[in-house]
Amino acid sequence: MSSDPSAVGPGGPGPVGDPASADGPAPSGDSPFRSERTARDEAPQFVLPLVAHIEKAAPPARTDALETAARAVLTLLSDERSLGDGEWARAVRDWQDARIRKVVRRARGAEWRRAEALPGITVTGKSAEVRVYPPVPLDGWPKELARLQVSGTDLDDPEPPAEHDPAAPVLWMSPEVDMSAGKAMAQAGHGAQLAWWELSDADRAAWRDAGFPLAVRTAPPARWGELVASGLPKGRAAGVTEIAPGSCTVVADHPALRR
């Protein structure tokens, strides 16, 4: 289960490629979503690992897994260990200075217990559990995570997702792109991160203090073009794994960013 607009990592495809600084979006001329090489490709490359707890007998609902992955990314970005002189801060800065990659893997039973023992943060949704870890070098995965499966699992929604709160942030997924659950989880995390970069410090604090409420929904086809052209933060794929290069995969619609 992975997503990557820019590269392939060890043990399977790498995920979302999205270069930017720790404090905001990528500077002009060095877009996070360029498929051609930029200076960011010359920097040491890191990946943000996410592990979804998926038991065969009781898999999480797809939408809940996507929303939980997005909140996991936000939780790590806002954690004091990721900021300033925190123990994860250097890894987070190095990750954001290169091609930003996210890889989603799955674990169950003893695999999940071993994954939980590593330093990281577990975020729980209604039915989903996702653990996020500080970034690691592409060739430096902990063995407990490197052996986990990347692909081969998909998820469904037993019931249609409930109506979302129109006052809450929404990560609109493309109705034009077919994505596996892992790919979609990484792209949802990507959209959440793009929104985070665009927000003021006050809006970030308010979102964090509220527990990062958000919804992930597939955009109505008739509205997708409007969303893409809205000026809201959006993610594009580089086409390394499942999606054609340049495809817009997610638009991050946070109330504070609506124009």
Side-chain angles (χ1 to χ4, degrees):
M1 298 161 63
S2 71
S3 172
D4 184 357
S6 66
V8 172
V16 233
D18 124 44
S21 70
D23 296 321
S28 177
D30 191 6
S31 166
F33 301 102
R34 286 189 173 190
S35 54
E36 67 268 23
R37 290 185 67 81
T38 74
R40 295 183 179 278
D41 295 288
E42 308 307 320
Q45 300 295 305
F46 289 77
V47 60
L48 185 77
L50 297 103
V51 176
H53 184 193
I54 301 179
E55 297 288 348
K56 281 185 176 180
R62 180 184 173 101
T63 296
D64 189 40
L66 269 58
E67 293 173 349
T68 304
R71 288 193 293 112
V73 170
L74 293 166
T75 301
L76 180 126
L77 290 172
S78 63
D79 191 279
E80 62 182 9
R81 290 166 289 184
S82 299
L83 306 172
D85 295 324
E87 62 183 290
W88 299 343
R90 175 63 183 272
V92 171
R93 285 194 297 269
D94 288 346
W95 170 59
Q96 293 190 123
D97 283 345
R99 287 281 185 185
I100 291 186
R101 296 165 163 85
K102 299 177 181 74
V103 166
V104 179
R105 300 190 177 204
R106 69 181 189 273
R108 62 175 182 265
E111 295 173 333
W112 175 250
R113 291 190 291 274
R114 287 191 292 268
E116 277 196 304
L118 297 177
I121 305 169
T122 297
V123 176
T124 303
K126 296 175 183 177
S127 61
E129 282 184 290
V130 176
R131 189 164 179 83
V132 61
Y133 303 85
V136 298
L138 277 180
D139 58 356
W141 280 74
K143 64 181 185 302
E144 295 89 347
L145 303 184
R147 61 167 62 109
L148 298 177
Q149 292 295 315
V150 179
S151 59
T153 294
D154 211 339
L155 301 171
D156 297 310
D157 282 315
E159 299 178 358
E163 285 294 320
H164 66 275
D165 180 355
V170 183
L171 304 176
W172 292 108
M173 308 300 288
S174 171
E176 300 173 351
V177 177
D178 228 1
M179 288 183 274
S180 66
K183 182 80 168 180
M185 288 171 71
Q187 293 291 338
H190 202 52
Q193 186 170 5
L194 289 169
W196 181 254
W197 281 335
E198 294 280 349
L199 292 172
S200 68
D201 288 344
D203 287 327
R204 287 181 180 182
W207 200 11
R208 179 198 62 218
D209 293 347
F212 293 120
L214 58 84
V216 177
R217 297 291 186 272
T218 299
R223 194 181 167 211
W224 181 238
E226 173 192 339
L227 286 165
V228 171
S230 66
L232 291 166
K234 56 182 177 286
R236 294 188 183 275
V240 173
T241 54
E242 301 175 15
I243 302 174
S247 301
C248 185
T249 56
V250 60
V251 174
D253 182 7
H254 190 291
L257 302 178
R258 291 170 188 161
R259 291 164 171 81

